[in-house]
Amino acid sequence: MPGGLQRETGDLTPGRICAVKLLIIEDDLETAAYLSKAFREAGVTVDHASDGDSGYFLASENSYDVLVVDRMLPKRDGLSIISELRAKGDETPALILSALGQVDDRVTGLRAGGDDYLTKPYAFSELLARVEILGRRKGGRDQETTYRVGDLELDRLSHEVRRAGQPIPLQPREYRLLEYLMKNAGQVVTRTMLLEHVWDYHFDPQTNVIDVHISRLRSKIEKDFGESLLRTVRGAGYMMKAGD
C-alpha cells in the first residue's frame, strides 16, 4: 500500500457516489495516484497538486468542494496554504493529512483553518466518509444529482443519460465529458479545461483526442434528435446550451 494508507479488505467503493469536486495536495506521487483513482471510482471529480505552491494556486484559481492537504509539502507547507486561503476569505472545507498525531498537532492544524484532521496511517474508507461529510457543507451545482440541458438529462447517481426519455449508452470517457459539459452548461468550456478535468492531461491542447470524443459524443446525443445542444464556439471551445 502507498505510504500513509492502511490495507483494507473488500471492495469499498462500487456503488458509492460522492458528488464533490476535490483537490488533493500531496507530494507523494504514488499515494496521490492511488487516492485519485479510488476517489474517481467513488464518483469524485479530482485534481492533484504535488507541491504547496501549485496547490495554493489551484485552490485559489478554481472552485472546489473539499481540499485534502498533506501537512508536510515542498515549497509551502499545508497549514500555510489553508491559513492564506482563510485570510483571503476562502472557506472551502479542508481536511489535513499528517503523520503528526499528537493533540497539540491536531489543535494547531484546526486553528490554522483546517476543518478536519486525519492522522496517518488511515483507511481510505474513513477518508472518503470524511470528504463526503465536508462536501455537504458547500452547496452549488457540484451537489446536484441530475443535470438537464433542454430534453437531455444526466443522472449522476445511476450514470444514466436520456434524451427525450430515450436512454443513450455512453462509454466512461464520453460520460465524464458530457458530465463536465453539462455541469458548465451555458458557459464556454475550453480545450485546456477539458484536458485538465476530463483527461487529467496538462499538455498541448491542440491534441485531437478532444475532437475525436466530441464527435462521438455529438453523434450519440444529437443523432435522430431535432435541436443541437453541443455547440462549437469557434476559437474558444464548446458549450452545452438549449435554445438560441
Side-chain angles (χ1 to χ4, degrees), residues 3-230:
L5 282 151
Q6 295 177 341
R7 184 172 298 279
E8 299 180 87
T9 59
D11 199 351
L12 298 170
T13 58
R16 299 195 64 173
I17 299 296
C18 177
V20 301
K21 183 177 180 182
L22 173 69
L23 173 62
I24 299 173
I25 309 177
E26 167 64 68
D27 62 318
D28 185 314
L29 298 183
E30 183 183 8
T31 297
Y34 178 91
L35 290 178
S36 296
K37 181 176 184 294
F39 273 118
R40 289 187 180 112
E41 289 175 349
V44 179
T45 300
V46 181
D47 286 345
H48 168 241
S50 58
D51 62 67
D53 282 351
S54 59
Y56 178 76
F57 175 79
L58 285 177
S60 299
E61 297 296 317
N62 298 281
S63 177
Y64 295 100
D65 294 307
V66 181
L67 309 176
V68 169
V69 185
D70 190 59
R71 182 164 178 169
M72 304 299 292
L73 294 164
K75 299 184 180 180
R76 186 187 307 214
D77 70 271
L79 298 191
S80 71
I81 293 173
I82 297 170
S83 295
E84 291 187 45
L85 289 172
R86 298 295 182 253
K88 60 183 282 189
D90 188 329
E91 297 298 326
T92 303
L95 183 151
I96 300 166
L97 296 177
S98 178
L100 304 175
Q102 298 300 314
V103 172
D104 288 348
D105 298 317
R106 297 197 298 272
V107 169
T108 298
L110 296 173
R111 284 180 173 168
D115 297 272
D116 199 354
Y117 195 105
L118 186 58
T119 303
K120 300 177 181 179
Y122 56 87
F124 175 74
S125 56
E126 181 178 2
L127 176 59
L128 175 60
R130 291 178 182 232
V131 166
E132 288 177 319
I133 292 169
L134 291 177
R136 295 176 196 149
R137 299 185 184 178
K138 188 171 183 180
R141 192 151 173 80
D142 277 328
Q143 297 300 106
E144 295 180 16
T145 59
T146 303
Y147 293 158
R148 293 182 180 85
V149 177
D151 59 354
L152 180 65
E153 180 177 309
L154 181 147
D155 188 321
R156 300 179 72 194
L157 297 180
S158 66
H159 281 211
E160 293 180 347
V161 175
R162 295 178 178 273
R163 183 158 188 192
Q166 298 182 30
I168 300 175
L170 297 178
Q171 295 298 316
R173 186 73 68 180
E174 295 167 347
Y175 175 87
R176 285 188 63 189
L177 175 59
L178 180 62
E179 181 184 34
Y180 188 74
L181 289 165
M182 293 183 73
K183 172 186 168 184
N184 294 282
Q187 304 175 41
V188 174
V189 175
T190 68
R191 299 170 67 88
T192 299
M193 290 167 68
L194 291 175
L195 283 172
E196 292 182 352
H197 294 280
V198 179
W199 279 270
D200 305 312
Y201 294 170
H202 297 270
F203 58 81
D204 184 5
Q206 298 306 314
T207 175
N208 72 347
V209 66
I210 294 175
D211 303 294
V212 171
H213 281 80
I214 286 287
S215 177
R216 291 174 180 170
L217 179 61
R218 181 176 276 135
S219 68
K220 290 186 176 182
I221 66 173
E222 298 192 344
K223 185 179 180 181
D224 300 325
F225 297 99
E227 182 184 9
S228 176
L229 301 176
L230 176 49

